[in-house]
Amino acid sequence: MNPNPLISVVICTYDRAAMLREAMASVLAQRFRDLELLIIDDGSEDNTEDVVRGFADSRVNSVRLAHSGRLSRVRNAGIARARAELIAFLDSDDLWRGDKLDVQVRAMEERPEAGFCISGYDIFDDAGVRRVKLYPEYGNAGSATTCRIFDRLIRGEVTLCSSSIVVRREMVERVGGLNEELRTGDYEFYTRLAWESPAVIVHEALARVRKHAGNASEAEFSAAGLEEAIFAVERFYALGAIGGDVRDACLTKYRRELAGR
């Protein structure tokens, strides 16, 4: 085991043993090898532990927590245990392209002013790719762009994918981890990152987001995300970071969508 890997990969999981195996394999097969893989198990009741033990790779380390059902708490546990200067997240039902880390690490090394990096991603199911999400509003395909995304993010005009994100440890230390009062905490965390620092956007689909039967609770998580969006808007308005017109427009939009859930 390398005591000083360049990047820590955090996979949070709960009762997804079969898909976890695929997710882990996509990390360990990365062309970029200088990594550690942290599996943070939120008290799974299936054979998740057997799956993790089945990988004879010294780069893998797992932690089992008492079940909380709070992704914010589980992801923070992974961040706290990460040893590298760069931290990447992969949801346990998603996958990575083989050069994902290689491309993003290089992009961040070339742009030290950026605190985090996102990439495009595709959405797939058993039938194949359903949709590809890129960010053409920020640049051209096949290149990387450094820019501020806070304004579009707080307005809900940009959707970020956790499985595509790489963040500098120093940036997490600056803005703080995920808010554990929130169930998922992702969106609110990303708004803090985006307010504090520009992002590198890689205009390629490096992550693969899976749609499956286990997404049955997707509406519930979408509602949680909208509640977090409202929380973030109110927070940044209170800080004077956004004006009343932006606040009112965002709250109207998010509350209407939340009512529809």
Side-chain angles (χ1 to χ4, degrees):
M1 179 187 298
N2 181 355
N4 298 296
L6 184 57
I7 188 163
S8 297
V9 179
V10 176
I11 297 181
C12 301
T13 192
Y14 176 69
D15 280 357
R16 282 179 173 167
M19 287 180 284
L20 173 63
R21 181 182 289 107
E22 293 183 58
M24 291 179 65
S26 78
V27 173
L28 298 175
Q30 287 290 301
R31 189 166 71 194
F32 186 88
R33 306 291 296 171
D34 188 13
L35 61 87
E36 68 171 347
L37 174 55
L38 302 172
I39 309 300
I40 313 299
D41 181 6
D42 188 30
S44 293
E45 298 178 352
D46 62 3
N47 63 324
T48 287
E49 291 185 75
D50 293 334
V51 166
V52 175
R53 283 196 296 265
F55 286 88
D57 193 312
S58 63
R59 296 175 296 171
V60 177
N61 188 18
S62 65
V63 177
R64 180 177 171 83
L65 307 176
H67 180 63
S68 69
R70 302 186 76 84
L71 179 61
S72 53
R73 185 175 302 170
V74 180
R75 211 183 294 282
N76 276 345
I79 291 171
R81 289 166 172 81
R83 294 177 295 140
E85 292 306 311
L86 296 175
I87 302 172
F89 305 112
L90 176 61
D91 289 347
S92 58
D93 52 351
D94 294 343
L95 303 171
W96 281 349
R97 204 173 82 179
D99 60 347
K100 193 260 190 190
L101 292 182
D102 192 60
V103 171
Q104 288 188 284
V105 169
R106 185 169 63 252
M108 296 196 73
E109 287 177 341
E110 293 171 352
R111 298 165 176 82
E113 72 278 11
F116 64 110
C117 178
I118 64 176
S119 78
Y121 55 95
D122 65 45
I123 299 172
F124 75 102
D125 58 19
D126 291 341
V129 176
R130 291 167 49 175
R131 183 164 63 90
V132 177
K133 169 63 179 178
L134 300 174
Y135 298 94
E137 63 270 36
Y138 289 115
N140 299 316
S143 63
T145 304
T146 304
C147 55
R148 294 273 180 175
I149 67 171
F150 174 80
D151 188 60
R152 285 181 178 269
L153 184 60
I154 200 73
R155 293 173 184 269
E157 298 170 354
V158 170
T159 301
L160 302 189
C161 168
S162 296
S163 293
S164 85
I165 291 178
V166 176
V167 61
R168 298 188 196 277
R169 170 187 290 281
E170 63 180 311
M171 186 56 56
V172 178
E173 293 172 349
R174 187 184 307 177
V175 307
L178 282 71
N179 185 340
E180 295 187 10
E181 295 300 314
L182 304 173
R183 180 174 178 182
T184 64
D186 285 339
Y187 173 82
E188 194 272 338
F189 175 60
Y190 301 152
T191 59
R192 284 184 276 129
L193 288 177
W195 172 255
E196 190 69 27
S197 167
V200 180
I201 300 177
V202 176
H203 302 290
E204 300 178 67
L206 301 179
R208 307 195 65 209
V209 176
R210 188 195 309 261
K211 293 298 179 182
H212 56 90
N215 291 141
S217 61
E218 184 176 4
E220 180 181 352
F221 274 98
S222 295
L226 288 166
E227 290 170 351
E228 291 182 21
I230 292 169
F231 176 90
V233 168
E234 294 283 25
R235 176 180 182 274
F236 280 102
Y237 175 71
L239 292 173
I242 59 174
D245 55 338
V246 174
R247 172 186 178 272
D248 293 345
C250 290
L251 291 183
T252 298
K253 173 183 177 179
Y254 294 143
R255 285 172 176 160
R256 183 183 298 119
E257 292 180 12
L258 183 60
R261 300 290 175 182

